[in-house]
Amino acid sequence: MVAAAGFVFAAVVYVLAVLTRAGQTIENAALRGADRDDVSETDAAWHALGQITVYSLAAAVVAVALVGVLRKRWDLTVAAVGVIVAGQLVVQVLKRWVLPRPGLVEVTGGYAHNSLPSGHTTIAMTVLFAAIIVVPWKWRGVMLFFVLPWATAIGQYTLTAKWHRLSDTLAADGIALAIAALASWWLQRKGSLTVYTGPRRAGRVVLVVFWSLIAAATLALGLILWGFPLAGEGLDADEWVVYLGAGTFASAGSLIAALTFLACWRRIH
């Protein structure tokens, strides 16, 4: 069900944002609004995105695989590595050869080509999901403390750096979640997963509650930033406000995807 929802969500995002004139107009306004962001924020975004390379991706795959090998859990290793690899295969094929971007509004240069789904967002989210799969239950909270903030920030960084549109990040969130859910379903079918019956870990509960509140707050903020200006001024809304709304929606989308997958793995070895 989660996998189907992820794929459907990505498809709906593509239809609304790419195949409609209003969707393209709003997203292009957000890109222009990013020009008004602080230089330090833009530099931070470029630095964070620049660290995601073929070599760092390979290192992440090796690290995930190493955890599974040390645990002597080849099933988890295959599932976790498969999530990262399959994520890139799916989004690159969709972006380069399958999904067109019709010219419904006037744009120039690189903004005319299709950039959905975001490869960088997919890398960040699939690495997070793979870590949830392969890391032992008792260490999952520690892993989340370090990996979750980084993974969920990448989507927003792609907007700040003007590497991607909001729809690119949201579609990537949906696809990454769907692939991770399919891998988890495969593990469950194999009998690889067991229920943890021990006591709760208070620190992890606090962490999840905190990020749930952040997700709700960013989603609400995005609705406010887009709702009032777009309702009052329509597609002529201030580009800076549109950009801020897009950034909050990007953060909310990644957080909701992460928390959804984490909920599927609640108290699961």
Side-chain angles (χ1 to χ4, degrees):
M1 291 175 62
V2 172
F7 284 129
V8 169
F9 175 76
V12 170
V13 166
Y14 172 72
V15 171
L16 294 179
V18 179
L19 301 185
T20 66
R21 181 179 179 84
Q24 289 194 13
T25 301
I26 292 172
E27 291 204 299
N28 289 341
L31 286 175
R32 291 191 296 270
D35 289 332
R36 295 159 60 180
D37 206 349
D38 188 85
V39 175
S40 62
E41 294 293 330
T42 303
D43 290 343
W46 274 78
H47 176 71
L49 296 174
Q51 292 181 325
I52 301 179
T53 64
V54 173
Y55 302 107
S56 62
L57 177 59
V61 171
V62 171
V64 165
L66 184 60
V67 174
V69 170
L70 292 176
R71 295 184 63 191
K72 299 180 180 179
R73 290 296 305 270
W74 296 101
D75 49 354
L76 299 183
T77 303
V78 170
V81 172
V83 167
I84 300 175
V85 174
Q88 283 307 295
L89 289 176
V90 171
V91 299
Q92 295 303 330
V93 169
L94 288 176
K95 178 165 57 178
R96 297 175 185 273
W97 295 295
V98 176
L99 300 180
R101 184 176 183 85
L104 303 180
V105 297
E106 184 177 351
V107 291
T108 59
Y111 297 127
H113 74 277
N114 177 56
S115 55
L116 183 149
S118 165
H120 282 76
T121 304
T122 304
I123 288 174
M125 297 304 293
T126 53
V127 168
L128 172 63
F129 295 152
I132 292 175
I133 290 173
V134 80
V135 169
W137 187 88
K138 64 180 180 180
W139 293 107
R140 195 175 295 165
V142 176
M143 179 276 298
L144 290 171
F145 182 83
F146 292 101
V147 181
L148 180 60
W150 165 80
T152 55
I154 291 298
Q156 194 274 333
Y157 282 149
T158 63
L159 271 67
T160 301
K162 300 179 67 173
W163 288 20
H164 283 285
R165 305 172 180 87
L166 171 62
S167 59
D168 303 345
T169 69
L170 295 180
D173 290 331
I175 292 171
L177 176 60
I179 292 172
L182 288 176
S184 305
W185 177 67
W186 174 72
L187 288 171
Q188 189 273 335
R189 297 274 294 182
K190 282 176 55 64
S192 300
L193 308 181
T194 57
V195 177
Y196 174 78
T197 57
R200 290 183 178 180
R201 293 182 177 267
R204 185 181 307 175
V205 174
V206 171
L207 186 65
V208 172
V209 170
F210 171 78
W211 284 112
S212 298
L213 293 174
I214 294 296
T218 53
L219 182 61
L221 180 59
L223 293 173
I224 293 172
L225 288 171
W226 273 23
F228 291 106
L230 291 177
E233 304 173 42
L235 299 181
D236 295 323
D238 185 84
E239 295 171 348
W240 170 247
V241 177
V242 174
Y243 160 70
L244 293 178
T248 56
F249 277 131
S251 298
S254 295
L255 278 172
I256 292 172
L259 293 169
T260 299
F261 188 67
L262 188 62
C264 294
W265 278 76
R266 179 176 178 270
R267 299 184 73 82
I268 297 295
H269 274 302

